[in-house]
Amino acid sequence: MSTFTSRTNIVTGNHEWVFVDDDQFDYQQELARSAFADMLHDHERNVQYEKAIIKTIDTLSKTLNRIHVLDIGTGTGLLSMMAARALRKTTCPSRITAVEVFQPMAKIAKKCIEKNGYHDQIHVIDKRSTELDLETDLQGDQINMIVAEVFDTELIGEGALRTFSEACKHLTIDNDNLRIVPSRAIIYVQLVESPFLQEFHTLKDLLKDEKRIRIPLDCRHLAGDTIFDLNANEIRDRLRPLSKPIPVFHFNFKSVDDRNNFTEEKILENILCESDGQIDAFVMWWNLDMDEDGEIQLGTIPSWCYDDKDKAQHIQWREHWIHGIYYPQQPKAVKANEHVNLYGFHDEYSLYFDVGSSPFPPRSFTPAFLSRSAMSGFNNDQRRQKYVEGLQKSFSHSSIHRCLYIGDGLLLPLLVLEMYPQIELIILESSNGHLVQTLKAILENSSNELTYRFIPTLEKDHVDLEKIDMILSEPFFTKSILPWDNLHFYYLLHQQTQPLNMKIFPQKARIRCIALEFDHLHKIRSPVQQCCQLDLSPFDEQILEASINVDAIVEPQSLFEYSSKKPTLSPIIDLIEIDFRRNYQDKLEKNHFDIPITADGICNGIAFWIDYQLEEDLWLTTGIETENDSWATYSKQGVHLLLKPLKMRAGMKLSVNAGFDFHQGQFLFDTLS
């Protein structure tokens, strides 16, 4: 049937629904978004699961007359096939029931199981395990082994607690004869000092020497209190542990405590701080006992917690399980050998931590009004300094008295009023009402010497552009997803009938790219082919076909979290430059580029970002300034992952077409070789 899909329209600045006349689109979109490939590329996960399955089946086959395995959330059927392979080596009668609520994946599981010759052992049911009926679905045949991979970064965020609890209550035999893979789990946290992580959570003061702008406490935490998912191994040098790992929550999946609707609250006293510092954040991870004896382990332990240096250097990369960053209600300064108390809480799906002394303040669940990267954008010192330099140059060479600010960013209007209080600043109200109220609250809390006013639209009744000396934007809009979505600023400028005779800040934008060899990021789109000697080609065929048909050719990624080979495979290439003063009308501009390859390697991705010219010879990047720089943390970049990575040698060229459709507000890109 026909359906609708959403996209960001940078012309209007809104999310919009686009009609798609394709009977298969909705199905394929669901499939492409399922992101199972990353799990299947997780070699450690797969190996440890199979070891535990083999050991558990071997144990049960010696004591039971019959084994009935329930695979919850079977996905491709991988774990069920591992169990089937192990059961064939026993003489014990057996049965495997695999459940998968996501119907497109259930169909793929059946194909993979058929492909590998296990269709006579495995029965796939496309429903939730919590909806299974012992008599109707399982014919009264009780389960004595459960295998499940229903975990996320927080361990419990996919409903693991209820999943195991319901299965154990309604579908299984007595606990003594029941085995679950994995058997148990522990959630750990570690107290860390990290000004870097604080940049993603707390708005910091503007300038050390100026105090006109004062940010009230209740305006500082705009990204909320939910988990910040982050691969902490990639920022090891930007945090400093202050304590040993702390085991907080323990779960036995055979006897999950469902009292109080799966909630648990505890205070751990006398946690030793090993050095002076400030507790800025908690790094959270978990570890699984895969078998009943706890001999087989699987977890998300950070690299710095391993005593084995070789293990730390070759830690399994994964995207589906990373680390959780949580924040105390207030950072806490500590001394070496000082003891603190840790508060921990979980409900059915989420975690919460705080540090201090009893009694702890009530739990805070502030909603998110800004993304973590936008918080970093406000706080990042290099970005701030660029704006400061740009404003100093702009205001030193001309007579500017009245400015208009456009956009959702908080930093630039506050900097203007902090640095130039004599300026009258007119602020176009953001479509994000929460940010408007936040900006007003900050300004009302600040010096009464400031001159500013808010306007609802750019209609002439609200602002006379002929009396505006300068229009400013960061540019940043909260509805933006890809870097060029913030070019909505250009469209707002040129929707006006009044002439743009004033100064524009920034003056220009340029979209840039670079060819890369990612160490791991490409795996999220790479075919699996075989996994643990099992043929998963039906999965590859369906997922990759769906991705080609419905996924955008460029996707947003925070590249500071994903390492790539250095030196880069190519220099930085400028694809298109946009002068904000010029009206491109409905022009479609597309050009051919030969990206020169300057280093040997495998090109598996191309990264894109946008730079803004604030003043002559002063550019602000949302990516990198030079080839081997670290990626900006305050903006997501665009990434095109090649379906077929290319082996490249220095001196070769990568041919691409790129451009911009000014009528539709869309970046255009495709690879030729």
Side-chain angles (χ1 to χ4, degrees):
M1 64 177 181
S2 301
T3 189
F4 290 88
T5 184
S6 65
R7 72 174 185 188
T8 301
N9 185 328
I10 73 171
V11 178
T12 64
N14 295 319
H15 292 310
E16 65 179 14
W17 292 100
V18 179
F19 179 74
V20 180
D21 190 13
D22 183 345
D23 290 343
Q24 296 296 313
F25 185 88
D26 197 37
Y27 164 88
Q28 290 185 326
Q29 188 176 53
E30 264 195 291
L31 205 52
R33 299 292 184 276
S34 61
F36 282 85
D38 169 53
M39 299 184 228
L40 298 170
H41 284 293
D42 187 339
H43 178 73
E44 182 185 30
R45 163 194 177 271
N46 302 332
V47 167
Q48 297 303 86
Y49 259 95
E50 183 158 36
K51 284 181 180 178
I53 288 169
I54 291 170
K55 179 179 178 181
T56 302
I57 286 175
D58 182 61
T59 300
L60 289 177
S61 67
K62 295 174 182 176
T63 58
L64 298 180
N65 295 324
R66 177 175 172 79
I67 297 175
H68 187 181
V69 180
L70 175 64
D71 177 8
I72 300 176
T74 194
T76 60
L78 176 66
L79 302 185
S80 287
M81 290 188 285
M82 289 176 175
R85 186 160 59 188
L87 284 164
R88 285 186 178 179
K89 297 178 181 179
T90 73
T91 58
C92 186
S94 62
R95 172 185 178 184
I96 301 171
T97 300
V99 293
E100 175 57 60
V101 68
F102 186 33
Q103 290 191 7
M105 281 307 303
K107 292 178 181 178
I108 289 175
K110 292 176 183 178
K111 291 180 180 179
C112 289
I113 291 165
E114 176 81 26
K115 183 87 173 177
N116 288 277
Y118 293 110
H119 54 283
D120 60 331
Q121 290 177 266
I122 304 168
H123 176 52
V124 179
I125 302 176
D126 55 349
K127 61 165 56 175
R128 296 182 188 279
S129 63
T130 52
E131 296 171 351
L132 286 179
D133 181 81
L134 180 60
E135 298 302 324
T136 305
D137 295 310
L138 305 182
Q139 297 76 49
D141 189 2
Q142 290 180 308
I143 302 296
N144 45 34
M145 177 177 172
I146 296 173
V147 58
E149 203 279 68
V150 288
F151 309 113
D152 66 348
T153 290
E154 285 190 286
L155 183 76
I156 60 175
E158 293 182 4
L161 299 183
R162 185 176 297 275
T163 295
F164 287 117
S165 176
E166 293 292 313
C168 289
K169 279 183 180 179
H170 304 299
L171 305 175
T172 63
I173 60 174
D174 61 280
N175 270 8
D176 288 342
N177 291 303
L178 172 67
R179 295 293 184 272
I180 298 180
V181 177
S183 178
R184 294 175 295 274
I186 301 176
I187 289 176
Y188 294 85
V189 299
Q190 190 169 35
L191 315 180
V192 300
E193 179 179 70
S194 178
F196 173 76
L197 288 176
Q198 266 293 316
E199 287 193 354
F200 293 89
H201 183 64
T202 306
L203 296 186
K204 65 184 183 183
D205 293 331
L206 285 180
L207 302 173
K208 293 180 180 179
D209 300 330
E210 303 289 345
K211 299 296 181 184
R212 297 183 185 91
I213 303 296
R214 294 182 292 272
I215 303 175
L217 184 60
D218 58 0
C219 292
R220 290 184 182 267
H221 299 146
L222 302 181
D225 295 301
T226 55
I227 182 176
F228 177 22
D229 298 78
L230 186 68
N231 183 352
N233 294 326
E234 295 292 337
I235 60 161
R236 172 64 186 93
D237 59 344
R238 298 186 181 188
L239 59 82
R240 185 168 66 92
L242 297 177
S243 72
K244 287 186 174 2
I246 306 160
V248 182
F249 295 115
H250 300 252
F251 302 100
N252 185 330
F253 295 130
K254 283 207 300 189
S255 55
V256 174
D257 187 351
D258 62 356
R259 293 173 298 178
N260 302 316
N261 202 26
F262 301 99
T263 63
E264 183 181 0
E265 182 179 40
K266 61 171 55 177
I267 295 175
L268 301 178
E269 298 181 331
N270 297 319
I271 303 298
L272 177 65
C273 297
E274 297 184 324
S275 59
D276 295 356
Q278 177 172 279
I279 302 171
D280 290 312
F282 311 103
V283 178
M284 183 281 299
W285 66 91
W286 45 260
N287 199 61
L288 300 172
D289 285 342
M290 298 302 294
D291 63 310
E292 192 115 325
D293 300 325
E295 293 177 352
I296 304 167
Q297 300 282 305
L298 177 63
T300 58
I301 303 169
S303 58
W304 62 85
C305 290
Y306 285 100
D307 294 329
D308 185 336
K309 291 184 178 179
D310 184 66
K311 173 67 174 175
Q313 290 176 354
H314 298 93
I315 198 164
Q316 173 71 52
W317 181 87
R318 47 177 62 102
E319 173 76 358
H320 58 110
W321 298 333
I322 44 181
H323 304 107
I325 308 298
Y326 299 84
Y327 295 90
Q329 290 201 31
Q330 292 295 326
K332 180 177 176 58
V334 294
K335 295 289 187 182
N337 299 317
E338 181 179 346
H339 290 80
V340 297
N341 294 344
L342 176 70
Y343 174 85
F345 171 85
H346 75 79
D347 56 20
E348 187 174 348
Y349 300 103
S350 61
L351 306 167
Y352 178 92
F353 303 99
D354 201 2
V355 69
S357 56
S358 301
F360 282 86
R363 292 189 299 276
S364 170
F365 292 105
T366 307
F369 303 136
L370 272 183
S371 66
R372 296 287 182 187
S373 59
M375 292 290 289
S376 175
F378 184 94
N379 290 323
N380 184 271
D381 289 333
Q382 290 178 313
R383 184 172 183 264
R384 282 190 180 189
Q385 187 57 36
K386 291 277 189 180
Y387 282 129
V388 168
E389 292 176 19
L391 292 175
Q392 288 172 341
K393 289 184 178 182
S394 294
F395 281 81
S396 65
H397 296 300
S398 58
S399 178
I400 297 175
H401 304 287
R402 185 178 290 109
C403 297
L404 170 65
Y405 177 74
I406 296 174
D408 295 348
L410 298 176
L411 177 62
L412 196 52
L414 294 179
L415 275 178
V416 169
L417 291 171
E418 178 69 79
M419 295 170 64
Y420 304 100
Q422 74 280 6
I423 294 294
E424 178 187 352
L425 183 63
I426 301 169
I427 303 169
L428 177 65
E429 289 185 351
S430 165
S431 60
N432 186 322
H434 295 296
L435 290 183
V436 174
Q437 294 306 313
T438 298
L439 185 55
K440 287 181 177 179
I442 293 172
L443 293 174
E444 289 168 4
N445 188 61
S446 301
S447 170
N448 56 13
E449 301 172 1
L450 306 179
T451 304
Y452 63 90
R453 63 185 175 96
F454 289 83
I455 58 172
T457 72
L458 293 176
E459 299 291 333
K460 195 167 184 178
D461 291 346
H462 298 118
V463 59
D464 184 354
L465 292 183
E466 292 183 6
K467 296 181 180 179
I468 296 295
D469 303 315
M470 183 177 183
I471 297 180
L472 306 101
S473 185
E474 296 193 12
F476 167 73
F477 298 90
T478 54
K479 292 179 181 178
S480 297
I481 298 173
L482 287 160
W484 38 86
D485 291 346
N486 290 313
L487 291 176
H488 177 52
F489 172 60
Y490 161 83
Y491 291 95
L492 285 174
L493 287 176
H494 292 282
Q495 286 169 5
Q496 310 313 310
T497 57
Q498 303 176 65
L500 300 176
N501 297 323
M502 70 293 292
K503 185 176 181 63
I504 307 294
F505 182 101
Q507 302 169 0
K508 297 178 181 178
R510 63 187 179 196
I511 298 175
R512 318 184 87 186
C513 78
I514 195 168
L516 297 171
E517 180 179 352
F518 288 108
D519 292 328
H520 302 290
L521 179 59
H522 62 289
K523 295 175 183 176
I524 66 173
R525 297 287 179 268
S526 296
V528 178
Q529 298 175 343
Q530 282 208 343
C531 182
C532 296
Q533 295 81 51
L534 293 166
D535 185 349
L536 299 185
S537 57
F539 167 82
D540 289 337
E541 293 163 7
Q542 294 289 312
I543 291 288
L544 293 178
E545 179 186 355
S547 180
I548 290 169
N549 290 338
V550 305
D551 278 344
I553 197 167
V554 179
E555 60 186 87
Q557 296 286 354
S558 297
L559 290 184
F560 79 92
E561 296 186 52
Y562 304 102
S563 61
S564 58
K565 295 289 192 300
K566 299 291 175 63
T568 58
L569 296 182
S570 80
I572 295 171
I573 302 298
D574 289 340
L575 299 175
I576 187 170
E577 185 170 284
I578 298 170
D579 186 333
F580 285 123
R581 188 177 297 281
R582 177 184 169 190
N583 190 340
Y584 294 85
Q585 298 180 341
D586 292 338
K587 183 177 180 181
L588 191 155
E589 184 175 314
K590 193 170 186 180
N591 297 303
H592 176 84
F593 297 88
D594 286 325
I595 301 176
I597 301 301
T598 54
D600 296 352
I602 305 295
C603 180
N604 50 32
I606 301 173
F608 304 86
W609 66 98
I610 194 165
D611 288 355
Y612 297 103
Q613 186 182 37
L614 306 181
E615 276 288 338
E616 198 70 31
D617 299 323
L618 182 63
W619 289 83
L620 172 67
T621 188
T622 64
I624 51 176
E625 291 186 346
T626 61
E627 281 74 10
N628 296 303
D629 279 354
S630 298
W631 290 96
T633 61
Y634 48 78
S635 174
K636 288 190 175 183
Q637 292 75 39
V639 177
H640 170 70
L641 296 173
L642 278 66
L643 290 177
K644 294 182 178 179
L646 300 172
K647 186 175 182 180
M648 309 298 287
R649 293 198 176 278
M652 297 175 67
K653 294 180 179 179
L654 179 64
S655 295
V656 302
N657 288 332
F660 202 84
D661 181 344
F662 286 90
H663 177 67
Q664 297 289 337
Q666 292 184 359
F667 175 63
L668 309 172
F669 176 80
D670 57 81
T671 57
L672 303 178
S673 65

